[in-house]
Amino acid sequence: MVRIQRRRLLASCLCITATIFLLVTLQVVVELGKFERKKLTNSNLQDGHAKMEEVPKQLIPFLKKEALTLNREKKWEVDSYPIMLWWSPLTGETGRLGQCGADACFFTINRTYFYHHMTKAFLFYGTDFNIDSLPLPRQAHHDWALFHEESPKNNYKLFHKPVITLFNYTATFSRHSHLPLTTQYLEGIEVLKSLQYLVPLQSKNNLRKRLAPLVYVQSDCDPPSDRDSYVRELMTYIEVDSYGECLRNKDLPQQLKNPASMDADGFYRIIAQYKFMLAFENAVCDDYITEKFWRPLKLGVVPVYYGSPSITDWLPSNKSAILVSEFSHPRELASYIRRLDYDDSLYEAYVEWKLKGEISNQRLLTALRERKWGVQDIYQDNYIDAFECMVCTKVWDNIRLQEKGLPPKRWKAEDTHLSCPEPTVFAFSPPQAPRRSSLREMWIPSFEQSKKEAQALRWLVNRNRNFSAQEFWALVFKD
């Protein structure tokens, strides 16, 4: 009898529990339905119209993109604003009315707007720019804008005149671009002056008992600059601690082995112990300057730099880096570094600017002061925002000219906006060096083929109608 009562009690508890679970689940479904309907109301684009909820005032300072806010009862119409269509899905935004000073434009990745009469500009991200799908036919009022901050190895076609001049506006690492991104890896002057990670020279001298004078950290091996060949040769003349996958002879702590940890405090403190850091770019192009150069400067380490031929225009001071281009052979470079390593006064001349907090390069100071975007700064637009607004403003300028009965101003990219010389390889590798990798051997033929690709693409785009991949490649390999 007791067992039966217990079973009945247990069954009652299970029924009650199941009922509560069903009620909770039903409530969750209802709330999710409300949330989804709210999302659709806010963001879906139907018949060229959209509604936007008012942004809470306390969130406005933290928004990366400043959206136009309207009363909930009001609608804004796409027909009232020029449409900026991201042909590359970089932002992932199906629709946003962005405010750019006194101007506003509608930004979207929704390609159905290709046919909309208010579509004025197509925005491209260079790495995603390909021949498979282009907004053709191109109307006379369709501007093309290119955002490309990456290395040429990501898309060599763009680095030839026939392709770069297809665009009206550019944002690239070149100082000649309409929106130069040359300082894209530098947060500001203060991080260069900061002594947060600086290790005193006497301590570095003591650390030399277990550390090499030079440190190298690269995991992207055999890029177009052929930097690994140079470093391999340099290693035969001077000790180098190499932590990355390329030429590795020393290991980072397990928690720092992920490439995402290269901006971690622990990684910074390891690198800051060294006197010199090999800062070799993956490609040699004017103004292509990455974190590889700025990082050692921020940490109080002297960069041994190979990359942009115009690097002297961006040095914090005349004596803040050792330039590989000034030495005829790694042997001479190694000899010079050993000399600085043994002579404190000679070495200190390269960090004097850091110790005094003096940046003497007016070009660098001006570029940082005048750029319209910030790096890792929630109170400033990022460079994608700035790119969008640059295009939006130029489109509005032409709309206003036309309203006055004046012809629109035609902007056009120049070949200097994205140009790199043909890659080269170093010829001094000794016979016993490892066999050349297939990747290392690929860059020069790839560059040569990209010239043909650029010419073929330009011819097809000038024809101003859609084309197939088969047509493109047939033209590339035509005798």
Side-chain angles (χ1 to χ4, degrees):
M1 189 69 178
V2 173
R3 288 181 180 176
I4 293 173
Q5 289 177 342
R6 285 179 178 174
R7 287 177 182 175
R8 286 177 177 173
L9 180 61
L10 180 60
S12 298
C13 290
L14 288 173
C15 287
I16 292 170
T17 302
T19 302
I20 293 172
F21 176 77
L22 287 172
L23 288 171
V24 170
T25 302
L26 180 61
Q27 183 65 28
V28 169
V29 170
V30 170
E31 292 300 322
L32 283 173
K34 290 179 181 178
F35 175 72
E36 289 300 322
R37 284 195 297 275
K38 184 177 179 182
K39 277 177 63 180
L40 289 170
T41 302
N42 289 342
S43 62
N44 274 10
L45 306 173
Q46 298 176 352
D47 303 322
H49 294 79
K51 290 182 180 179
M52 295 184 67
E53 293 289 334
E54 188 171 359
V55 180
K57 291 182 179 179
Q58 67 271 22
L59 293 181
I60 290 177
F62 301 98
L63 293 179
K64 283 287 185 184
K65 296 182 178 178
E66 188 178 351
L68 185 68
T69 58
L70 298 174
N71 187 285
R72 293 188 182 191
E73 286 75 27
K74 292 182 179 179
K75 293 181 180 180
W76 55 266
E77 296 185 3
V78 174
D79 286 1
S80 303
Y81 302 95
I83 297 170
M84 309 286 107
L85 177 51
W86 270 102
W87 204 248
S88 308
L90 180 65
T91 65
E93 294 179 321
T94 54
R96 174 178 57 87
L97 189 63
Q99 193 72 36
C100 299
D103 301 319
C105 289
F106 181 68
F107 297 95
T108 181
I109 64 167
N110 187 342
R111 291 191 175 186
T112 61
Y113 282 95
F114 172 75
Y115 303 100
H116 200 288
H117 72 278
M118 285 301 289
T119 297
K120 302 294 185 182
F122 293 85
L123 313 184
F124 299 87
Y125 179 49
T127 300
D128 296 333
F129 182 83
N130 59 66
I131 56 94
D132 296 332
S133 173
L134 290 174
L136 297 171
R138 183 177 181 178
Q139 305 300 323
H141 63 279
H142 283 170
D143 287 339
W144 284 15
L146 175 69
F147 176 87
H148 192 53
E149 87 290 21
E150 291 279 3
S151 163
K153 73 172 192 167
N154 288 40
N155 200 336
Y156 261 130
K157 287 190 295 295
L158 295 169
F159 290 76
H160 300 295
K161 187 173 182 178
V163 174
I164 188 62
T165 53
L166 285 171
F167 300 96
N168 301 95
Y169 318 112
T170 62
T172 75
F173 54 74
S174 170
R175 74 184 79 183
H176 304 294
S177 172
H178 294 120
L179 183 72
L181 305 176
T182 316
T183 59
Q184 61 180 304
Y185 292 97
L186 180 58
E187 298 90 332
I189 288 297
E190 293 310 311
V191 297
L192 289 177
K193 293 181 178 181
S194 173
L195 303 179
Q196 178 182 357
Y197 292 99
L198 183 72
V199 175
L201 180 55
Q202 191 56 51
S203 298
K204 289 190 178 189
N205 285 336
N206 292 332
L207 287 164
R208 281 283 289 107
K209 296 172 184 176
R210 61 180 180 85
L211 299 178
L214 281 159
V215 62
Y216 184 55
V217 188
Q218 290 300 332
S219 293
D220 177 14
C221 306
D222 292 311
S225 66
D226 200 26
R227 62 189 173 201
D228 294 334
S229 294
Y230 191 99
V231 175
R232 183 183 294 111
E233 178 76 3
L234 182 66
M235 284 175 156
T236 65
Y237 301 101
I238 192 169
E239 188 181 0
V240 178
D241 284 345
S242 181
Y243 289 94
E245 291 302 312
C246 312
L247 307 176
R248 185 177 66 209
N249 58 22
K250 207 172 181 71
D251 288 322
L252 288 166
Q254 188 62 40
Q255 69 273 19
L256 297 176
K257 287 186 177 180
N258 189 318
S261 301
M262 291 190 72
D263 283 318
D265 179 80
F267 179 76
Y268 279 5
R269 295 195 181 280
I270 289 173
I271 300 304
Q273 298 177 101
Y274 287 86
K275 286 186 171 183
F276 306 92
M277 184 172 193
L278 292 171
F280 281 42
E281 305 289 6
N282 65 29
V284 177
C285 307
D286 277 343
D287 298 336
Y288 179 59
I289 303 166
T290 71
E291 78 286 349
K292 298 172 189 66
F293 175 67
W294 303 115
R295 183 182 289 126
L297 292 173
K298 292 191 289 186
L299 302 180
V301 179
V302 177
V304 179
Y305 184 79
Y306 178 71
S308 170
S310 58
I311 190 64
T312 53
D313 289 343
W314 303 102
L315 298 177
S317 76
N318 289 335
K319 207 163 191 178
S320 50
I322 297 169
L323 307 183
V324 170
S325 59
E326 295 181 352
F327 298 87
S328 60
H329 192 276
R331 184 190 309 105
E332 280 70 45
L333 174 61
S335 176
Y336 185 71
I337 291 173
R338 277 198 303 272
R339 185 176 161 202
L340 298 184
D341 185 28
Y342 297 144
D343 191 322
D344 287 353
S345 62
L346 292 178
Y347 178 83
E348 284 179 327
Y350 281 90
V351 293
E352 184 179 5
W353 69 271
K354 178 86 167 176
L355 297 172
K356 292 182 176 180
E358 295 177 352
I359 310 292
S360 58
N361 187 340
Q362 291 304 311
R363 180 192 297 275
L364 177 60
L365 292 169
T366 301
L368 291 171
R369 182 175 63 251
E370 294 183 353
R371 69 185 184 186
K372 302 183 188 311
W373 43 272
V375 179
Q376 299 177 13
D377 187 344
I378 61 173
Y379 296 103
Q380 286 185 288
D381 284 344
N382 59 48
Y383 47 33
I384 297 177
D385 302 333
F387 169 67
E388 289 183 336
C389 278
M390 174 190 70
V391 180
C392 174
T393 300
K394 290 186 183 300
V395 165
W396 267 109
D397 287 345
N398 276 340
I399 291 174
R400 285 186 280 267
L401 285 173
Q402 289 178 303
E403 287 173 348
K404 296 176 182 178
L406 300 172
K409 183 174 181 180
R410 302 309 300 170
W411 294 78
K412 185 179 178 181
E414 303 291 339
D415 56 353
T416 56
H417 290 201
L418 204 58
S419 177
C420 296
E422 179 178 325
T424 58
V425 295
F426 292 105
F428 45 64
S429 298
Q432 66 269 25
R435 179 185 172 275
R436 288 186 176 186
S437 73
S438 58
L439 184 62
R440 179 176 183 260
E441 295 173 334
M442 177 189 77
W443 296 117
I444 294 176
S446 177
F447 183 88
E448 289 301 323
Q449 179 176 307
S450 70
K451 292 180 183 177
K452 297 179 182 178
E453 292 177 17
Q455 292 168 350
L457 182 60
R458 182 60 184 245
W459 187 88
L460 290 167
V461 172
N462 284 348
R463 195 178 58 168
N464 207 25
R465 65 174 187 261
N466 285 311
F467 57 89
S468 67
Q470 288 81 0
E471 287 180 273
F472 172 76
W473 290 113
L475 199 55
V476 170
F477 293 110
K478 181 179 179 181
D479 290 335

